[in-house]
Amino acid sequence: MALIKCPICGKEISDKAKVCPNCGLDIIEYNHKLEEARLEAERQERIAEEQKKEEEQKRLKELESKEKCPECGALVDKEVEKCPNCGFPIKEEKERINIELNNTKRKNKKIIIICMSFIILLCICLPFIYAYGNSSEYKKAKDLLENGELYDAKQKFEQLHKYKDSKEMLEAIDVGLEMLPIIRESREGELWFSDDIYIQSIGDIFERSENYEILNPLREQMINSIKSELDYPLSQEYNKYYDDVEYLIGCIEKYTDTKELTSKLKNLQVVELLKNVDENGNYEEVALAINELDEKNDEVQKLCDLYLELYEKYGKFTGEYCTFEFNIVYDWTNLYEEEDEIYFEIINSERRLDNEDKEGDTGCCYSDLSVKGNKMSFLYHDEGSGSKDNKVILKEINGMIQMTINGKKINLDPEPDSEESDDRYNEKEEPYIGMSAYDAEYHCTWGKPTDKNITETEYGKSEQWVYKGYGYLYIEDNEVKTIQK
């Protein structure tokens, strides 16, 4: 609830009162009359606005039917031929202006037609002009690429963007830029074979270059550079680079004749195998490598023939047995000044035995070296000149070596107590000429001798061994010399 002032007496009354308690004014009726007065005022205002609008429209119509005289400025009807005020020929002037406007429109229309024709013609010719310009630039770019000017060619192809195969040419240039360092570094002798990552990347570059025919000239330069560079490790015999050389030959053999390079490499590889054969003990591997090598130069052929001759004779006996070591040696440094570059070597207790038959008694030497079939024998002494000779016999049986020293069998098995070892060393043999006295007594199918008759003369000692039911064996120098059945 709120208090309001009475509109007549001005006293405060409730806003809910219907009659003023002070002056008796009917508040409801009073408010009704005020509302009617307000509505009437609004209606009169609208009527006045409509009348004003009608008058303005009427005035506008009058003005639209009139125009100013271009001479005196007075308003005259549009249809009059002359101005009633100054006599100016309005109609004649209008006709003259219309004729000039029409002439101007015709001229503009012709200009527009000419411009449109030119624009259409330009649109038709523009692709041909663009194509001609791109074709010329494309040819220049390809010429640059074919001449090896890759950086300039790349710049032009990038400007051509998607014209023809510009994208493919950019890919080819990227491969070509990887080829350039190989070509240039080779010319300067800087293709370092020790850089494995660099070497391996060359094969990948060759493989990717096959996708782009335009790189054929660069690939040819790259091949020639590599072939030239391969002469460096091959001529200097840098064996540590042989694996890289073999890999690079494999990279280029698809594109050029590498027969001479391959032959040269294989010859050097065989020589390298020969240099280390006694250290590695791979005698059979070296023999196979020699036999697989079709083309040998004169020097290698001589070495290979000598090695194969020695391998054929001594190969089955090479290795370490007891305190002995038997090697086929390529003395490429000429350390021992042997007659032949490749020779058979005997070492005992890590001391090299000289060949007494060639060098005389040096006090640590061997003599009477003999190989017959699967048996090798020799005499040796290493206790000074004139010391007692010891006889060593090696026999190869079923891929195993048996060894006797002065008739006593030496157990060479690393596990002598194994059952397999016992079977091998207890294997019996029929007696044969050259059989050791030890084997004749302990490993002969005739069994042990039932009696031994010993005869000594000024020429030496001989023995007759009696085998009941079998016969006789005659022993000299700890070997079977005669068999009597």
Side-chain angles (χ1 to χ4, degrees), residues 446-463:
W446 288 8
K448 287 190 176 183
T450 54
D451 195 8
K452 293 182 180 180
N453 299 316
I454 301 174
T455 302
E456 291 189 15
T457 67
E458 59 181 321
Y459 302 107
K461 182 176 74 171
S462 62
E463 300 180 27

Side-chain angles (χ1 to χ4, degrees), residues 123-371:
C123 291
I124 294 171
C125 296
L126 191 61
F128 295 99
I129 296 170
Y130 176 77
Y132 176 78
N134 281 346
S135 176
S136 176
E137 290 300 306
Y138 179 81
K139 186 177 183 304
K140 290 178 182 177
K142 288 200 78 171
D143 289 343
L144 289 170
L145 178 54
E146 289 172 353
N147 293 330
E149 299 178 39
L150 302 187
Y151 291 101
D152 293 338
K154 184 174 183 178
Q155 186 176 5
K156 284 195 174 294
F157 278 119
E158 285 175 344
Q159 293 171 352
L160 290 167
H161 194 45
K162 294 182 180 180
Y163 181 73
K164 287 188 176 180
D165 58 350
S166 295
K167 184 178 179 181
E168 183 181 345
M169 290 299 101
L170 284 170
E171 293 172 357
I173 288 172
D174 288 339
V175 177
L177 289 173
E178 294 182 58
M179 300 168 78
L180 282 183
I182 299 171
I183 296 170
R184 290 172 179 170
E185 288 179 10
S186 295
R187 289 173 180 169
E188 298 170 8
E190 296 176 359
L191 184 56
W192 299 112
F193 288 90
S194 57
D195 189 344
D196 292 334
I197 296 177
Y198 181 63
I199 293 296
Q200 293 300 318
S201 70
I202 292 176
D204 177 63
I205 293 171
F206 269 117
E207 184 176 346
R208 286 186 287 127
S209 71
E210 292 180 1
N211 298 324
Y212 311 102
E213 185 177 352
I214 200 165
L215 293 180
N216 288 351
L218 271 181
R219 185 166 59 240
E220 191 66 29
Q221 292 181 46
M222 186 171 163
I223 291 168
N224 292 334
S225 296
I226 290 174
K227 287 175 72 174
S228 175
E229 190 63 25
L230 289 177
D231 286 337
Y232 172 69
L234 292 178
S235 61
Q236 300 297 324
E237 299 184 13
Y238 285 143
N239 60 299
K240 63 181 178 179
Y241 296 146
Y242 287 169
D243 289 343
D244 289 335
V245 170
E246 187 171 3
Y247 173 76
L248 289 173
I249 290 175
C251 290
I252 65 175
E253 65 183 356
K254 183 178 180 180
Y255 314 101
T256 186
D257 183 11
T258 58
K259 188 176 181 181
E260 184 178 348
L261 286 170
T262 302
S263 176
K264 192 171 184 179
L265 174 62
K266 287 186 175 180
N267 274 267
L268 290 172
Q269 287 175 326
V270 166
V271 172
E272 196 61 31
L273 285 173
L274 288 171
K275 287 180 179 180
N276 299 288
V277 66
D278 58 317
E279 181 178 340
N280 297 331
N282 53 340
Y283 300 101
E284 184 177 2
E285 179 187 341
V286 174
L288 289 173
I290 289 173
N291 289 325
E292 290 174 359
L293 181 58
D294 296 328
E295 296 183 8
K296 306 178 182 74
N297 59 45
D298 294 341
E299 181 184 352
V300 174
Q301 183 69 59
K302 178 183 176 183
L303 291 174
C304 290
D305 290 345
L306 187 54
Y307 176 83
L308 290 177
E309 181 183 348
L310 292 170
Y311 178 75
E312 182 69 24
K313 189 174 183 180
Y314 301 109
K316 65 182 70 176
F317 303 108
T318 54
E320 296 181 13
Y321 309 104
C322 190
T323 59
F324 284 88
E325 184 179 344
F326 304 98
N327 301 314
I328 299 174
V329 179
Y330 172 30
D331 186 15
W332 57 283
T333 61
N334 199 25
L335 179 63
Y336 295 105
E337 299 181 354
E338 292 283 347
E339 181 179 346
D340 294 319
E341 291 179 277
I342 301 179
Y343 54 85
F344 184 64
E345 176 186 68
I346 300 176
I347 296 174
N348 183 31
S349 300
E350 300 183 356
R351 295 174 64 188
R352 182 177 183 274
L353 301 181
D354 297 322
N355 188 341
E356 185 177 350
D357 297 332
K358 292 183 178 180
E359 303 176 30
D361 188 355
T362 61
C364 183
C365 53
Y366 70 90
S367 61
D368 297 339
L369 177 63
S370 171
V371 175

Side-chain angles (χ1 to χ4, degrees), residues 420-453:
E420 183 180 358
S421 173
D422 291 341
D423 291 342
R424 281 201 303 268
Y425 286 104
N426 290 326
E427 185 179 358
K428 305 294 183 180
E429 294 181 276
E430 282 288 319
Y432 57 86
I433 303 299
M435 190 178 199
S436 70
Y438 180 86
D439 284 345
E441 185 169 5
Y442 296 103
H443 298 287
C444 178
T445 56
W446 288 8
K448 287 190 176 183
T450 54
D451 195 8
K452 293 182 180 180
N453 299 316

